[in-house]
Amino acid sequence: MNGSHTRPLGDRQCLSTVRQYALAVALFVSRAPMALLAPFPKAANRKFAFAFVAVAIVAAKIIHVIARERALLRRDLVIWMLSFFMQDFVLLLALRFLAEWSHSTSHKNLFLRILGRAFNSILILFSALISVVNITFFLYARAEVRWRDVAFASDSGSRGVLLSGLVTLLMVLFCITAVAGFFQNNIFMVGGAAVDAVKWPYQAFMRRRRAETNYSFLPSEGLLDDQEKRSDDIRPSTPGSVESPFWRKIWSGFIILQFIFYALRPHEGALIFMSWTTPLIPFVDFKESASILRDIRPYNRVGINYDWDDKTALTDPVVFDWLPKDKVLKGFEDWYEEGRPHYSAKADPLKISNMDQDILPELKNSLPDVSIKHIVLIVLESTRKDVFPLKKDDLIWRRFEEAAPHNRLSGESVARLETLTPTANHLTGDFGDGFEHENITRRGGINFNDANTASTYTRKSMIGTMCGIWPLVADFNKEYIHHIYQPCLPQILEAFSHLDQNDAKESPWRSQYLQSVTLSYDHADESTEQFGFPKENIIGARYLRSNSAKFGKVNLPDINYFGMAEAPLLDYFRDAFASAKQSNERVFLTHLTSTTHHPYAIPAEEHYVPLASGRWDDLSHYVNAVGYDDRWLGKILGVLDDEGVANETLVVVTGDHGISLPENNKPASYHNPNAGCNHIPVVMSHPSLPPIDVEDSVSTMEILPTILDLLRETGSLSDAASKAAADLMANYEGQSLIRKLRHSDYRVANPTEVANEEELRNWQFIVMNPGRAMLGVRDRRHKTWRLVVPVIHDVEWQFTDLETDPTDTDSVQAFEFRAFLDKIQQRYGKEEAKWAEEAAFIARWWVEENNKRYEYGPYAATPTP
């Protein structure tokens, strides 16, 4: 062999076979994406594919800028606008270059060309998909999609929600396809001109170098095509052509300008966020999930700043000597686990106790005559305070007038609106709605006119109402798998039953939960059990549609993507009280409605009155659904009358959250911080209570301690249970709403000695849907001031004074904290800016403390993201 190292023939054949297989696989991968589009010849055309993704990316970026433009100064928006499209331009250049390079026959390495085609096809499909989803979501929900919430799509209960946007998706696809199809040659040609403008300096250099060395002149196709003139790359060189030398210089100048503006642009979070190209946003979204509040800096030196960084309300559990030693009561596990810290009100620097305050004067003489044997808690889905009851000449009425011909509502519309909410009138005692009423009978009770929800996400709101605690600052329903750090109301009532088990005069409590829609959505079934409702006492759509349903299988059609209307539950309401009478039990019944959830459909047998069309069509459907819910409430009250328990039943009615349709026409609370999503009804009604209006600022997380206080003050508990209730009330974060409310005392050693209550604070929080992105903050000193705190990156700070901006559509917004405070001071003044800074640092401490209490994130036994 003369020392040569040639491979054996068998090895060469094997290597050749491997190469062939690798080439075949690469060829398949490169053609697979376009093969999927084979039924759609246009989509499989690379010119159309490039035009489609270009239109989608540019449209998604325009929407991205429009959605966030109010967070920037108008000056910055104008000066740096060109730089916002830099990444999109680079991406489209890369896609156009790959489309041309991978189809060039001048390159002899077929394998590399095939890989280039595969990569380009996948990149085009991915970019188009992300852009189309972003556009669709924004048009449907009027908010930008948050890709960190993508796990939501894997929840079986969420499929109906996703399918509800199918029409919008098809519309978006049709529009992009139409534009891309009509202009595909122009877009492809313009993209080629831009690529040439980028290649031009290199080509000019190579031509000069080769000319100097007597090489032949480089053809115009240069890098990409030395010999072939492709039929689909029409490159005229006439002066008017986009690929003529004149336009090549224009493109070159445009590219240079983009790079200059991009390089000179300040390195600020807002400008960086505006610049992300849409296909990269999912990666940015997943990366930026840590709290940004740890990094904010004080400027005016007001409030707590960093002073509370080492403070926590977690310490040894408060001693309850009434807890049994031989049995672990559900909800009270912390008291039985040695060394496990628990929330202590005495250690909480934000805790305000008003247990030393007198009962409200209007109630003082009435409570001894009130008998509370049963409690019915009704949570109204997406129900705003201003529809409970609806009032003439209020915002919703004015929206309908704006949409009406000649700004005058029809007789049918007026008739529907003036008779829409009689049950709400009856429960709240509020007949000052501008309408005439034949019957002004008041049921009696306390009507809170300035109540905010604890969260604008339903399952989190239920935590605040049922358990008397602030929800977890985490996306979606995570509370049930973490540490719900206080006993919930069903668990407390079960503890009372245990204390009274040897007292023949006392009846045990029976807790039941009713809803007509699915319980599988976001683990609602599991979280409801965590509240303390026995599994056999939880009724949802699956049970109602099963053969084992107590009152027969229900075959009603669904009215929204969660399930059917509430009507089949009436038998179960009636049965709850009839069974309790036979078994000598006390009823705690919780019911969550659903008809007022988007798309606000009502049963077919109900008469729908069109109140508006076009822009306010959703609002029209919503108000009709509110009317259905009001009639449904009337039927529930009728059951109490029929069963003879009305005079011994406390009826608590509240909303899970509001909806901002009349303010900004957004049909969902998802990533929607508008104040319309926060303001909800809270009514505590009993026939023996006088009708009272409370104007102070309250939260739904104060419902639980108030119920316990009412049970005690009306003598509706045994001595043992009354003592336990007093101990528990003192250790909840909220105040009792039947007493004079106090403001926060973190500035003073002894709040009872403060002469001027207005100098104190009472901070309230709203965990905004879906939970991790934004936090609402307000305090009772300044009822109309409202701060939206970004918990994660790429969310704006927002400040609103609802006195001057009642629809919350002109808030001060900024991404950078310092710029945000400056903008507040410029528009409103120094006092408002200082308040916003003070509230921001309260929120900073509270978010971290919230995670500690729930044992979430870095504070979990197994850290969570």
Side-chain angles (χ1 to χ4, degrees), residues 590-796:
T590 297
H591 168 48
L592 173 64
T593 67
S594 65
T595 306
T596 41
H597 194 286
H598 186 266
Y600 322 119
I602 56 178
E605 64 272 15
E606 294 283 330
H607 178 54
Y608 171 77
V609 176
L611 302 167
S613 58
R615 173 176 170 80
W616 303 115
D617 182 62
D618 273 346
L619 183 60
S620 173
H621 283 85
Y622 171 72
V623 169
N624 274 268
V626 166
Y628 172 83
D629 259 11
D630 190 85
R631 296 188 290 277
W632 169 242
L633 272 177
K635 293 177 182 179
I636 295 174
L637 295 180
V639 168
L640 301 183
D641 289 330
D642 294 345
E643 294 301 318
V645 296
N647 290 326
E648 55 184 12
T649 301
L650 175 68
V651 176
V652 181
V653 181
T654 187
D656 61 345
H657 55 79
I659 202 73
S660 64
L661 281 170
E663 285 88 0
N664 58 17
N665 203 25
K666 290 187 178 182
S669 60
Y670 178 80
H671 282 281
N672 179 9
N674 188 277
C677 297
N678 307 337
H679 196 194
I680 44 90
V682 172
V683 179
M684 296 187 175
S685 177
H686 191 285
S688 299
L689 288 173
I692 300 172
D693 285 331
V694 174
E695 304 297 333
D696 216 332
S697 305
V698 303
S699 171
T700 52
M701 54 85 70
E702 294 174 302
I703 288 175
L704 185 149
T706 304
I707 290 175
L708 295 182
D709 204 8
L710 273 170
L711 289 171
R712 289 182 70 251
E713 292 296 332
T714 58
S716 300
L717 296 175
S718 67
D719 290 343
S722 183
K723 180 184 182 307
D727 288 345
L728 288 166
M729 286 167 51
N731 202 47
Y732 276 87
E733 292 160 84
Q735 300 184 58
S736 169
L737 302 181
I738 64 171
R739 301 174 186 271
K740 182 183 176 183
L741 298 173
R742 296 186 60 80
H743 299 289
S744 172
D745 60 353
Y746 76 77
R747 292 273 192 136
V748 295
N750 186 357
T752 60
E753 295 178 357
V754 175
N756 186 2
E757 290 272 330
E758 298 304 315
E759 293 301 315
L760 304 177
R761 293 140 175 82
N762 185 331
W763 298 102
Q764 296 175 351
F765 307 99
I766 302 167
V767 178
M768 294 180 170
N769 186 345
R772 186 65 181 171
M774 294 174 284
L775 181 71
V777 183
R778 71 171 183 168
D779 85 82
R780 286 188 174 124
R781 292 171 303 154
H782 306 288
K783 296 175 58 173
T784 62
W785 293 2
R786 180 173 162 275
L787 181 70
V788 176
V789 177
V791 179
I792 57 174
H793 288 271
D794 304 336
V795 177
E796 303 95 323

Side-chain angles (χ1 to χ4, degrees), residues 391-448:
K391 297 193 175 186
K392 187 177 182 180
D393 297 326
D394 215 339
L395 179 61
I396 291 176
W397 179 280
R398 296 199 305 272
R399 293 304 190 207
F400 290 145
E401 280 190 328
E402 291 169 10
H406 308 295
N407 295 334
R408 290 181 62 86
L409 292 172
S410 67
E412 186 184 26
S413 296
V414 171
R416 169 49 58 94
L417 293 173
E418 66 184 4
T419 59
L420 189 78
T421 52
T423 309
N425 293 123
H426 177 57
L427 284 168
T428 62
D430 184 358
F431 290 89
D433 52 13
F435 304 117
E436 293 184 5
H437 298 274
E438 293 182 5
N439 184 354
I440 56 171
T441 306
R442 294 167 166 84
R443 188 174 191 269
I446 315 170
N447 174 39
F448 299 92

Side-chain angles (χ1 to χ4, degrees), residues 8-84:
L9 181 59
D11 287 351
R12 291 201 304 273
Q13 289 175 338
C14 181
L15 193 58
S16 176
T17 302
V18 169
R19 285 198 186 103
Q20 289 173 2
Y21 276 119
L23 193 60
V25 169
L27 190 60
F28 173 78
V29 170
S30 73
R31 293 184 177 178
M34 290 303 176
L36 294 173
L37 300 174
F40 313 98
K42 270 232 178 268
N45 179 308
R46 66 192 177 97
K47 287 201 293 184
F48 173 80
F50 176 76
F52 186 95
V53 75
V55 172
I57 286 175
V58 172
K61 172 51 68 72
I62 291 171
I63 283 176
H64 181 57
V65 173
I66 290 173
R68 303 305 182 99
E69 58 94 12
R70 290 185 58 233
L72 289 177
L73 293 173
R74 189 56 54 91
R75 178 198 63 216
D76 289 342
L77 193 64
V78 172
I79 293 175
W80 307 114
M81 175 66 77
L82 195 62
S83 71
F84 296 159

Side-chain angles (χ1 to χ4, degrees), residues 319-328 336 498:
V319 176
F320 294 150
D321 56 12
W322 44 266
L323 281 176
K325 302 290 190 283
D326 57 342
K327 180 182 179 180
V328 177
Y336 296 89
H498 181 83

Side-chain angles (χ1 to χ4, degrees), residues 380-669:
L380 303 173
E381 170 66 49
S382 301
T383 299
R384 302 160 52 98
K385 172 57 182 171
D386 60 2
V387 297
F388 202 85
L390 183 85
K391 297 193 175 186
K392 187 177 182 180
D393 297 326
D394 215 339
L395 179 61
I396 291 176
W397 179 280
R398 296 199 305 272
R399 293 304 190 207
F400 290 145
E401 280 190 328
E402 291 169 10
H406 308 295
N407 295 334
R408 290 181 62 86
L409 292 172
S410 67
E412 186 184 26
S413 296
V414 171
R416 169 49 58 94
L417 293 173
E418 66 184 4
T419 59
L420 189 78
T421 52
T423 309
N425 293 123
H426 177 57
L427 284 168
T428 62
D430 184 358
F431 290 89
D433 52 13
F435 304 117
E436 293 184 5
H437 298 274
E438 293 182 5
N439 184 354
I440 56 171
T441 306
R442 294 167 166 84
R443 188 174 191 269
I446 315 170
N447 174 39
F448 299 92
N449 286 319
D450 188 19
N452 271 6
T453 181
S455 175
T456 57
Y457 182 69
T458 299
R459 299 317 304 178
K460 291 181 178 294
S461 175
M462 292 295 288
I463 281 279
T465 302
M466 297 299 305
C467 306
I469 57 178
W470 300 113
L472 172 63
V473 182
D475 286 337
F476 301 113
N477 183 18
K478 297 285 197 315
E479 287 85 352
Y480 80 102
I481 53 174
H482 288 86
H483 181 227
I484 298 178
Y485 59 92
Q486 290 279 48
C488 303
L489 194 50
Q491 295 165 333
I492 292 172
L493 298 177
E494 181 63 29
F496 292 168
S497 297
H498 181 83
L499 293 173
D500 296 336
Q501 62 183 333
N502 298 321
D503 190 340
K505 296 182 297 181
E506 300 297 329
S507 303
W509 287 90
R510 178 180 175 85
S511 297
Q512 300 183 62
Y513 182 90
L514 306 178
Q515 68 178 54
S516 61
V517 295
T518 181
L519 281 160
S520 65
Y521 179 77
D522 199 12
H523 310 282
D525 48 356
E526 295 170 88
S527 63
T528 303
E529 282 188 63
Q530 283 288 85
F531 296 157
F533 291 98
K535 189 172 185 178
E536 63 273 15
N537 293 350
I538 300 173
I539 292 177
R542 181 178 295 178
Y543 173 81
L544 293 173
R545 293 194 184 281
S546 71
N547 293 323
S548 58
K550 186 171 184 177
F551 297 100
K553 182 179 179 179
V554 179
N555 293 311
L556 291 177
D558 290 346
I559 61 168
N560 57 38
Y561 31 79
F562 293 125
M564 70 188 92
E566 290 81 7
L569 294 176
L570 203 62
D571 289 329
Y572 294 89
F573 272 94
R574 199 178 304 278
D575 180 63
F577 293 100
S579 299
K581 188 174 183 179
Q582 291 178 355
S583 306
N584 190 30
E585 293 176 325
R586 305 177 73 173
V587 173
F588 172 55
L589 193 152
T590 297
H591 168 48
L592 173 64
T593 67
S594 65
T595 306
T596 41
H597 194 286
H598 186 266
Y600 322 119
I602 56 178
E605 64 272 15
E606 294 283 330
H607 178 54
Y608 171 77
V609 176
L611 302 167
S613 58
R615 173 176 170 80
W616 303 115
D617 182 62
D618 273 346
L619 183 60
S620 173
H621 283 85
Y622 171 72
V623 169
N624 274 268
V626 166
Y628 172 83
D629 259 11
D630 190 85
R631 296 188 290 277
W632 169 242
L633 272 177
K635 293 177 182 179
I636 295 174
L637 295 180
V639 168
L640 301 183
D641 289 330
D642 294 345
E643 294 301 318
V645 296
N647 290 326
E648 55 184 12
T649 301
L650 175 68
V651 176
V652 181
V653 181
T654 187
D656 61 345
H657 55 79
I659 202 73
S660 64
L661 281 170
E663 285 88 0
N664 58 17
N665 203 25
K666 290 187 178 182
S669 60

Side-chain angles (χ1 to χ4, degrees), residues 97-160:
F97 174 80
L98 282 171
E100 194 165 324
W101 179 83
S102 62
H103 284 78
S104 170
T105 57
S106 64
H107 295 283
K108 308 220 180 218
N109 195 324
L110 180 62
F111 184 71
L112 283 179
R113 281 168 46 207
I114 290 172
L115 281 181
R117 276 190 214 178
F119 180 71
N120 192 45
S121 300
I122 292 169
L123 196 55
I124 283 177
L125 281 175
F126 177 78
S127 300
L129 173 65
I130 299 300
S131 299
V132 167
V133 169
N134 269 38
I135 296 168
T136 302
F137 192 90
F138 181 83
L139 294 178
Y140 182 72
R142 286 107 173 172
E144 288 194 288
V145 66
R146 288 287 170 173
W147 290 94
R148 67 171 59 86
D149 302 331
V150 71
F152 161 84
S154 65
D155 189 310
S156 60
S158 70
R159 290 170 192 158

